[in-house]
Amino acid sequence: MNKNLKKILLGLSLIFISSIIIYPIFLMFRISVSNPSDIFKPFTEKSLFFNSDGLTMEHWKNVYNSGLLLPALIKSLLVATFVTLIAVIVAAPAAYVIARIGNKKIKYLFIVSLFISRVFPEVAIALPISVRFLSWNLIDTNLGLILAHLIRVLPYVGWILVGTFEAIPKSLEEASFVDGAGRVKTLINIIFPLSLPGVSVAAMLVWLESWNEFTYALYLTVTENTLPLQTYYYINRGGIFNSAAYATIITVPVIIMTFVMQRYIKSGMLSGGVK
Amino acid sequence: MDEIKKRGCEKMKYLKQYWLEILMITPLFVYILGFTVMPVFTNLKNSFIDQRYGRRYDILTSKISDIKYDIKNSQNQEEITEYEKELAIAQNELDNLKKSDYSGFTFENYKKLFQTRDFRKGVFNTIAITLTGLLIQFIIAMSIALLLTNEFKGKGFFRTIVLTPLGIPTIVSATIMTYIFDISGYLNVLFYKLGLISEITPNWGQGGWLSIFMVVFADTWKVLPLMVLLFIAGLESIPKSVHEACSIDGSKSWYKFFTIILPLMKPHITIALILRAIDAFRIFELPLILAGTATTPVISTFTYMEYDRQNYNLSAASGTILTIIILIFVFSYLYVVEREKGEEKA
């Protein structure tokens, strides 16, 4: 009896937790395909799950036809892709060097400085950056936003990749030296292929971070919105259906990538701590 | 003399040996120096400049550079003399400004901050959101992590569900939460269906503890997976023999949790909570979008609003205070991690 009760309690709590986690995502999708008559009902008649007036693709058509989706989508895609490329090119070599530093104290210092530059509040950095970018004519440009996103992203990639490179045994390099390969050659032929899985996971995380980024975009944009900013714009104007559609669009690549990466993600990677 | 030469030689040797490493590491740290460290110090500097001086200075310098640009691109001699007159006036104004009482070092911005009601409210809200958030997230995440140590059917599926919000962008979670916490939103609908409220609905965005709860709920939904992952890692680090010894003793599971598991997990918990506190203090999108800055400012949204009103120096002061708080957290985090390492060795 006691055991059965326990089982039921366990099942109930699992269902309770799962529904709280899933419901908001369901709601977002549901609103984006609902008729206004369902959503704007007086709240005593609203249903939590079901639409009495059926579904509609109207809002998706509106979003597509408004002419605002494509520029925002392209800007977000371009910025995220370039941020990823530059971040990996700049941070991977540095991470490799940090991973190979023999002196423990110096190494610790480098890692801590990456950690600290990651946790500075954005609102404090974005102000001087936006003033500076204004005089450099970088407001509202892709380049400006790429440079700003790199601020957030570079220490993060560097920090993840230090772990990746540390996992590659040093003996492999030494063997390559013994075989007479130079340092540059060893890097390209031995280290680079071995680190590729770790680098790709880091690249995906960076891409997502830039894709989702809001604060710097808010500071550095006047008219050329990214997808998150476009969503914010609709929230401010009370455009509930448009914001739901935009939010869904932002979420799709995120969910795909998260499922791809789930096997490789370790808790430490995301928290950004020093271990 | 020889000594210096020798040292120089050693430096050269060092450079020759490590040129590749130095080449590889420099770009990253130059970027961090230029685009993170420098802005932080610029902010610090700006926070000690009087607002009246700072704004006037910005206007005048941009005006001067505009006029200079015009002079460069103008062909007409008459126009140029006209511009030069303007330039002289602006330059003169700038010189006067530099001599004025406002110029120079001042604590005015910080004084003003603490006299501003919104900033004091922001500090209170930030602390309230951090503390209640940490407490709630700790309890729920720990419960889920403990649930996940049990073996049951569909555990993998449940784990996937719990981890789902991990990938959901903050802007998206904020968007959805506006639907849920709207005055005729779905939380109130649920409360109505459960018979908890009648026609009069709580307005979650009105400020005070209701809004704090709203932000905490949204934040919790988003960060719970991360906390669960950290706690699972902590639970897994406890040796199996400890669990077995407990079950042989026949001790009650609650007793076991509080006397054995919790103390053993203390390092993991401390680290997770400090990391969360750092993030909670920087919280920006959720309060901005959900509660707005009028009723529920937090330090970061206050900083943004002052920027939006072009009170750059006041914004800089508020940003600097936030930076200092974060740095205190970071160093306490590093201190804790170091101490744990020391204990492990001993």
Side-chain angles (χ1 to χ4, degrees):
Chain A
M1 176 61 208
N2 201 354
K3 225 175 190 179
N4 275 340
L5 190 72
K6 238 183 184 175
K7 249 188 189 166
I8 292 168
L9 271 178
L10 179 76
L12 280 179
S13 52
L14 289 184
I15 292 169
F16 181 67
I17 294 166
S18 306
S19 49
I20 290 182
I21 289 173
I22 293 302
Y23 183 71
I25 301 172
F26 159 76
L27 186 63
M28 164 178 77
F29 186 70
R30 176 187 159 203
I31 288 179
S32 80
V33 293
S34 291
N35 276 311
S37 55
D38 262 321
I39 302 301
F40 293 136
K41 265 183 196 165
F43 98 108
T44 46
E45 290 160 34
K46 263 189 191 179
S47 160
L48 286 171
F49 298 100
F50 305 107
N51 285 0
S52 50
D53 295 343
L55 305 177
T56 170
M57 288 305 282
E58 194 64 27
H59 316 302
W60 285 90
K61 275 184 203 148
N62 282 343
V63 161
Y64 183 75
N65 291 332
S66 68
L68 295 169
L69 172 67
L70 227 51
L73 186 69
I74 290 171
K75 185 171 185 183
S76 279
L77 277 175
L78 270 180
V79 169
T81 309
F82 275 100
V83 166
T84 309
L85 279 176
I86 299 171
V88 169
I89 291 171
V90 171
Y96 170 74
V97 172
I98 295 172
R100 286 291 182 262
I101 291 175
N103 186 324
K104 269 206 173 137
K105 273 193 183 144
I106 295 179
K107 188 174 177 178
Y108 181 72
L109 215 65
F110 272 117
I111 294 178
V112 165
S113 64
L114 286 182
F115 176 60
I116 293 180
S117 46
R118 163 105 179 134
V119 296
F120 276 127
E122 275 120 34
V123 283
I125 299 176
L127 165 65
I129 288 285
S130 92
V131 172
R132 181 64 47 81
F133 280 14
L134 192 64
S135 65
W136 288 351
N137 284 327
L138 285 177
I139 299 289
D140 252 348
T141 61
N142 290 346
L143 178 64
L145 199 56
I146 291 170
L147 288 175
H149 283 184
L150 283 174
I151 297 172
R152 255 181 83 104
V153 151
L154 274 177
Y156 184 43
V157 201
W159 184 80
I160 295 174
L161 288 181
V162 169
T164 307
F165 288 117
E166 272 177 343
I168 299 173
K170 221 176 170 179
S171 53
L172 282 175
E173 284 161 61
E174 279 153 11
S176 161
F177 288 145
V178 171
D179 284 350
R183 279 199 292 176
V184 179
K185 217 172 172 184
T186 309
L187 274 180
I188 294 172
N189 290 340
I190 310 284
I191 304 298
F192 180 68
L194 280 174
S195 63
L196 212 53
V199 171
S200 12
V201 170
M204 278 199 249
L205 287 173
V206 168
W207 193 91
L208 288 180
E209 185 136 335
S210 171
W211 176 256
N212 302 340
E213 207 281 333
F214 177 72
T215 314
Y216 283 118
L218 185 64
Y219 270 80
L220 297 178
T221 308
V222 182
T223 54
E224 310 277 315
N225 284 347
T226 59
L227 285 179
L229 281 183
Q230 195 65 34
T231 318
Y232 180 56
Y233 167 83
Y234 282 120
I235 296 172
N236 276 344
R237 294 183 21 161
I240 179 166
F241 302 107
N242 287 336
S243 66
Y246 270 96
T248 312
I249 295 171
I250 299 176
T251 313
V252 170
V254 176
I255 290 203
I256 294 173
M257 282 206 190
T258 321
F259 275 101
V260 172
M261 285 189 305
Q262 221 175 35
R263 290 171 49 195
Y264 306 103
I265 293 180
K266 293 183 193 92
S267 59
M269 250 182 203
L270 298 151
S271 57
V274 185
K275 292 239 170 83
Chain B
M1 193 67 199
D2 265 3
E3 191 63 21
I4 295 167
K5 227 179 181 178
K6 214 171 152 191
R7 228 183 261 164
C9 243
E10 261 168 29
K11 256 185 202 160
M12 280 304 292
K13 226 167 104 188
Y14 191 78
L15 214 73
K16 243 182 200 165
Q17 195 185 344
Y18 291 114
W19 66 270
L20 187 61
E21 279 81 353
I22 293 169
L23 194 71
M24 283 163 82
I25 208 168
T26 311
L28 177 65
F29 282 91
V30 166
Y31 200 91
I32 290 178
L33 211 64
F35 283 84
T36 308
V37 179
M38 282 267 287
V40 169
F41 279 104
T42 313
N43 226 18
L44 183 68
K45 192 191 94 194
N46 286 341
S47 74
F48 290 117
I49 293 173
D50 195 293
Q51 184 61 61
R52 289 161 291 189
Y53 177 84
R55 186 183 288 172
R56 197 86 196 105
Y57 183 86
D58 285 344
I59 293 171
L60 284 174
T61 44
S62 75
K63 192 174 171 189
I64 287 172
S65 72
D66 279 354
I67 299 174
K68 277 184 182 159
Y69 180 83
D70 284 340
I71 291 177
K72 228 186 188 173
N73 289 299
S74 170
Q75 256 85 51
N76 192 335
Q77 194 55 43
E78 242 169 70
E79 244 179 45
I80 290 181
T81 44
E82 202 59 31
Y83 281 139
E84 269 166 356
K85 258 186 213 164
E86 267 180 55
L87 183 67
I89 293 170
Q91 199 76 51
N92 192 23
E93 243 181 284
L94 187 66
D95 289 340
N96 280 341
L97 183 71
K98 279 181 182 163
K99 279 179 227 147
S100 71
D101 299 340
Y102 307 143
S103 68
F105 185 87
T106 173
F107 277 111
E108 206 51 46
N109 294 315
Y110 290 97
K111 257 189 225 156
K112 202 174 161 196
L113 268 189
F114 286 101
Q115 285 160 2
T116 312
R117 210 171 127 257
D118 272 358
F119 181 76
R120 289 203 310 257
K121 230 166 138 188
V123 173
F124 173 79
N125 285 338
T126 310
I127 293 172
I129 288 172
T130 307
L131 289 183
T132 45
L134 248 56
L135 184 70
I136 291 174
Q137 285 152 21
F138 169 70
I139 294 172
I140 300 177
M142 188 56 108
S143 320
I144 295 180
L146 284 171
L147 261 182
L148 280 169
T149 54
N150 292 325
E151 286 303 325
F152 54 85
K153 232 183 175 176
K155 182 177 163 183
F157 181 66
F158 181 64
R159 209 182 121 105
T160 308
I161 287 182
V162 168
L163 294 189
T164 309
L166 194 64
I168 303 292
T170 317
I171 176 83
V172 172
S173 69
T175 311
I176 307 172
M177 293 302 163
T178 59
Y179 311 146
I180 291 177
F181 285 100
D182 190 67
I183 194 157
S184 61
Y186 289 86
L187 186 66
N188 282 348
V189 172
L190 176 71
F191 282 175
Y192 180 78
K193 300 234 149 142
L194 293 175
L196 293 174
I197 54 173
S198 57
E199 294 290 314
I200 306 147
T201 53
N203 178 4
W204 299 96
Q206 71 180 20
W209 283 101
L210 275 184
S211 295
I212 288 172
F213 170 78
M214 168 171 72
V215 173
V216 166
F217 181 90
D219 190 41
T220 304
W221 186 80
K222 171 88 186 79
V223 301
L224 209 58
L226 187 63
M227 300 272 283
V228 171
L229 277 180
L230 286 172
F231 287 155
I232 288 178
L235 283 170
E236 277 168 359
S237 73
I238 297 173
K240 271 228 165 79
S241 55
V242 174
H243 289 283
E244 279 158 16
C246 288
S247 37
I248 291 170
D249 280 354
S251 41
K252 287 254 163 45
S253 48
W254 276 110
Y255 183 76
K256 180 179 128 188
F257 175 73
F258 281 108
T259 54
I260 294 159
I261 295 182
L262 212 54
L264 276 173
M265 276 186 68
K266 207 178 122 205
H268 278 96
I269 293 170
T270 327
I271 287 171
L273 289 187
I274 298 180
L275 281 176
R276 271 302 304 144
I278 292 173
D279 278 348
F281 252 86
R282 298 186 306 169
I283 194 168
F284 180 70
E285 287 120 304
L286 290 177
L288 180 72
I289 291 169
L290 283 177
T293 46
T295 61
T296 319
V298 294
I299 302 179
S300 62
T301 54
F302 177 84
T303 310
Y304 170 68
M305 281 322 286
E306 289 306 317
Y307 162 83
D308 210 35
R309 294 179 189 136
Q310 304 208 324
N311 294 331
Y312 291 165
N313 300 89
L314 202 61
S315 173
S318 152
T320 302
I321 288 179
L322 187 58
T323 310
I324 290 168
I325 297 174
I326 298 283
L327 282 179
I328 292 172
F329 278 125
V330 168
F331 284 112
S332 57
Y333 170 78
L334 293 175
Y335 173 76
V336 171
V337 172
E338 274 308 289
R339 207 186 47 189
E340 295 302 333
K341 267 189 198 162
E343 271 175 20
E344 261 168 43
K345 271 176 201 159

